[in-house]
Amino acid sequence: MSGEPGEVSLAPPPGEAEPGSGVRIVVEYCEPCGFEATYLELASAVKEQYPGIEIESRLGGTGAFEIEINGQLVFSKLENGGFPYEKDLIEAIRRASNGEPLEKITNSRPPCVIL
């Protein structure tokens, strides 16, 4: 066994694909609205769970934060008025990577909190 004691390999065993490989996500967001930070936070959480996933960002129109998985729209801030919960997006990715049908994410967290 190679490597230092205590090292943990995150690579999948030979012959197995990385979790999320074959799943492609496109996130279209409004940069002037300040949504880039939300995109980066979400992308980081997704990559942590699914290192093999492909995530692409695109600049969108005013108020947009739209998420497609394998070409299917699964979340729209324009429709829901908020941002997706990470757990809901992770579940949608799990379904896509298992070849299960995707459902639109309808839960959303508020875009901002006024204290």
Side-chain angles (χ1 to χ4, degrees):
M1 189 165 163
S2 64
E4 295 295 315
E7 269 190 22
V8 177
S9 172
L10 298 177
E16 280 188 36
E18 274 192 284
S21 60
V23 176
R24 184 168 185 266
I25 297 180
V26 176
V27 180
E28 182 179 306
Y29 64 89
C30 173
E31 187 179 41
C33 302
F35 297 165
E36 183 176 23
T38 303
Y39 160 72
L40 293 172
E41 181 183 309
L42 205 58
S44 175
V46 167
K47 280 286 200 184
E48 195 173 297
Q49 288 281 322
Y50 293 98
I53 204 156
E54 181 185 340
I55 303 176
E56 177 187 334
S57 65
R58 293 185 190 150
L59 298 183
T62 301
F65 197 89
E66 317 298 290
I67 302 174
E68 291 181 2
I69 297 178
N70 294 340
Q72 181 179 336
L73 183 68
V74 295
F75 182 83
S76 171
K77 181 181 177 299
L78 297 174
E79 291 175 10
N80 294 332
F83 294 102
Y85 288 100
E86 289 176 8
K87 65 177 181 59
D88 292 334
L89 183 56
I90 297 293
E91 174 61 16
I93 294 166
R94 184 198 65 76
R95 293 177 65 90
S97 63
N98 290 337
E100 298 172 31
L102 294 175
E103 296 174 11
K104 220 163 195 190
I105 298 169
T106 55
N107 290 333
S108 65
R109 56 189 166 102
C112 63
V113 177
I114 300 172
L115 300 174

